[in-house]
Amino acid sequence: MKNQFASKLSLETCPGTLNLEITEPEDLKLFASLKAAKGIEITPEQPNFCSAVCYPVLIAGSIKGAIVLPCVADYPRNKMELIAPVHIRKTLHLNAGDVVEVEVP
């Protein structure tokens, strides 16, 4: 998948994702409308991996990244996974419960 992130999203990604829990009703509505839009498809390169849809974003106003939405039937509707070229949690000095701004260009 890393090759597809590079070719389709122009992102050389750091291993792992930052998982966010969306709790505000307005943010959940915005996230649902984003998920209804056409994203960039990522297909599994290994057995037991699922396909995903990605959406380019700007994280905390400065980190180019993407939302990765796994194509899994029971995936939580309020969970957002982010990828980026840097370790997001360390770069932004995040702790559990911190608020992270994610902008869709």
Side-chain angles (χ1 to χ4, degrees), residues 22-34 77 80:
I22 302 170
T23 57
E24 296 298 319
E26 187 60 32
D27 293 337
L28 283 169
K29 286 181 190 175
L30 290 170
F31 191 43
S33 65
L34 174 68
R77 70 179 190 89
M80 179 187 293

Side-chain angles (χ1 to χ4, degrees), residues 37-95:
K38 182 172 172 45
I40 298 166
E41 294 182 32
I42 304 294
T43 55
E45 297 171 348
Q46 299 174 5
N48 300 326
F49 277 60
C50 65
S51 58
V53 178
C54 295
Y55 304 90
V57 294
L58 189 61
I59 304 162
S62 63
I63 301 170
K64 182 181 173 185
I67 295 170
V68 177
L69 184 61
C71 297
V72 177
D74 59 349
Y75 194 77
R77 70 179 190 89
N78 68 333
K79 183 177 179 180
M80 179 187 293
E81 286 189 56
L82 299 173
I83 58 169
V86 297
H87 190 281
I88 303 166
R89 183 179 302 278
K90 288 180 183 175
T91 302
L92 297 177
H93 309 288
L94 297 174
N95 294 306

